[in-house]
Amino acid sequence: MSRPIKATVNTAALRHNLYTVKQLAPSANVWSVVKANAYGHGLARCFSALSSTDGFALLNYEEAIFLREAGITQPILLLEGFFKPYDLSLIEAYQLTVAVHSYWQVEALANFAAKKPISVYLKINNGMNRLGFSPDDVATVWQQLSALPSVGKVTLMSHFASADEGEMQMREPLRRLDLATSMLNAPRCYANSAATLWHPGTHHQWIRPGIILYGASPSGRSEDIAGFGLRPVMTLSSEIIAIQEVAPGEGIGYGHRYSTTTTQRIGVIACGYADGYPRHAPSGTPVIVAGKHCHTVGTISMDMMMVDLTHCPEATIGTPVELWGAQLPVDTVGAVAGTLGYELLTAVTQRVPFSVTANEN
Ligand SMILES: *Cc1c(COP(=O)(O)O)cnc(C)c1O
């Protein structure tokens, strides 16, 4: 007995996507990025389907500790580094690998007496201008880190701002990386999902795919990943809970942002923005009702949304609705609502119950 909305996580799809990624980058090791509670899918639900990964990457300590306490023995990488010098004791205790992006962190490592050296990822700013050392400073920082007794293996790390936009946008970041690292004999880890798919020259020793493991597109356009055989992992579904026959010229929902043009059959779906559905999705956003493409009408409410069922006479109360997932790419909904699959997947709220399936579909 519950409200009919639910999110279903397909662990077979997750396993398949990791396998697909490994085929795409056969000589690289894979950090499976599971930050943000595995992109909203639930870390506890997902990590065993990713057990063949070479490591897990995330950014908060709670998730890292959870994985260690669940018996994960692979390396765990903290993508955002550590936040305070005293965090290093925890990093040592849980044997975490940590990004180093700022001088204060080099100093903290220098002042830390580690019993077992800590593996670090030296973050290079290639022009994204978010985290990392400038290319001019990298060789010096690399030498400083390599000389510290508290530091173990040093890997070069960088992140691309526009790896989903073609070769041209990669030229300058790659030039800067080359400038920073050509003299350094160290493993490299540069590729996110977009670079994993579209720039194989960036794979090197380690890749860091996130969104493609969950079957969504790094560009936010589902057609861009259509050829790779990735499968959507999360399906958000609900049901029709009421139906109205509405006369022509009537307004639908808050603000009457949609008006009927003929007599229309309007269904009410138990899903709204308090479930994580984007409130900005306009009239015309696709939803699947009884396996058929239908369109929303009117403003998304907190708990409900309306759908035009005029051309779906088979729909009745209790008919299943897919908001996104196996039949409707999350990126298609994201594109219409002015956002990305990344945001929708991570925005599903606490009140939505999750279940797990391992359907091979
Ligand atoms: C989130 C993140 C990734 C994964 O990005 P995707 O686009 O989801 O593949 C890789 N590296 C860093 C540093 C990240 O923060």
Side-chain angles (χ1 to χ4, degrees):
M1 251 15 78
S2 61
R3 186 163 167 259
I5 191 164
K6 64 172 190 287
T8 308
V9 168
N10 187 329
T11 51
L14 190 58
R15 205 178 289 274
H16 163 86
N17 293 342
L18 175 58
Y19 174 80
T20 305
V21 164
K22 289 184 159 196
Q23 303 291 105
L24 284 167
S27 58
N29 291 304
V30 180
W31 289 110
S32 290
V33 181
V34 293
K35 64 187 180 188
N37 201 21
Y39 285 52
H41 294 66
L43 184 57
R45 252 168 241 124
C46 291
F47 74 91
S48 31
L50 297 170
S51 60
S52 70
T53 191
D54 302 292
F56 290 92
L58 39 68
L59 42 79
N60 66 31
Y61 301 131
E62 291 78 1
E63 291 180 340
I65 293 169
F66 167 80
L67 286 180
R68 278 286 175 259
E69 291 185 341
I72 289 298
T73 53
Q74 287 103 320
I76 296 175
L77 170 63
L78 295 170
L79 292 164
E80 222 170 55
F82 56 105
F83 304 100
K84 295 286 184 291
Y86 52 75
D87 295 344
L88 286 170
S89 329
L90 183 148
I91 286 167
E92 183 186 32
Y94 289 95
Q95 293 177 53
L96 309 178
T97 301
V98 67
V100 171
H101 54 74
S102 297
Y103 282 108
W104 74 262
Q105 294 172 323
V106 180
E107 201 182 311
L109 282 159
N111 294 330
F112 184 69
K115 286 172 225 68
K116 194 162 174 277
I118 296 170
S119 297
V120 305
Y121 268 50
L122 195 181
K123 184 90 184 252
I124 306 163
N125 176 10
N126 68 37
M128 175 142 181
N129 297 317
R130 193 174 62 178
L131 289 183
F133 294 94
S134 130
D136 294 334
D137 300 343
V138 168
T140 312
V141 177
W142 186 78
Q143 276 164 356
Q144 288 171 348
L145 285 170
S146 303
L148 294 178
S150 59
V151 169
K153 203 179 180 64
V154 182
T155 302
L156 303 172
M157 173 188 190
S158 198
H159 193 61
F160 299 113
S162 315
D164 58 326
E165 289 173 21
E167 293 300 325
M168 268 295 282
Q169 280 69 17
M170 292 294 281
R171 242 176 245 172
E172 181 58 16
L174 289 174
R175 193 190 65 79
R176 292 189 191 189
L177 277 177
D178 198 44
L179 179 77
T181 62
S182 55
M183 331 65 81
L184 302 176
N185 180 20
R188 286 148 168 75
C189 176
Y190 298 159
N192 56 5
S193 290
T196 297
L197 294 181
W198 297 309
H199 305 284
T202 65
H203 291 173
H204 299 288
Q205 288 73 30
W206 284 88
I207 59 173
R208 301 187 310 271
I211 195 74
I212 53 177
L213 296 175
Y214 308 96
S217 174
S219 67
R221 291 179 296 266
S222 58
E223 59 275 23
D224 291 350
I225 59 164
F228 291 100
L230 298 163
R231 297 191 202 140
V233 175
M234 183 198 293
T235 296
L236 183 67
S237 57
S238 187
E239 291 179 5
I240 301 287
I241 60 165
I243 295 180
Q244 314 267 0
E245 294 286 338
V246 182
E250 291 279 319
I252 305 283
Y254 286 119
H256 283 180
R257 300 280 285 282
Y258 179 87
S259 295
T260 51
T261 48
T262 57
T263 301
Q264 281 174 253
R265 192 160 175 262
I266 303 298
V268 180
I269 303 169
C271 174
Y273 63 79
D275 301 299
Y277 196 87
R279 204 186 73 88
H280 292 292
S283 290
T285 300
V287 296
I288 308 280
V289 181
K292 204 183 240 184
H293 268 80
C294 296
H295 295 98
T296 63
V297 285
T299 306
I300 308 296
S301 320
M302 184 183 284
D303 313 307
M304 285 172 268
M305 52 197 276
M306 273 74 95
V307 57
D308 184 8
L309 299 177
T310 312
H311 303 290
C312 189
E314 66 271 37
T316 68
I317 290 172
T319 294
V321 176
E322 180 178 311
L323 287 320
W324 65 66
Q327 304 169 79
L328 175 64
V330 66
D331 290 303
T332 304
V333 179
V336 180
T339 181
L340 300 171
Y342 288 92
E343 188 178 14
L344 298 185
L345 294 172
T346 55
V348 174
T349 61
Q350 284 285 331
R351 79 175 187 189
V352 176
F354 273 74
S355 63
V356 174
T357 175
N359 267 352
E360 299 288 346
N361 50 17

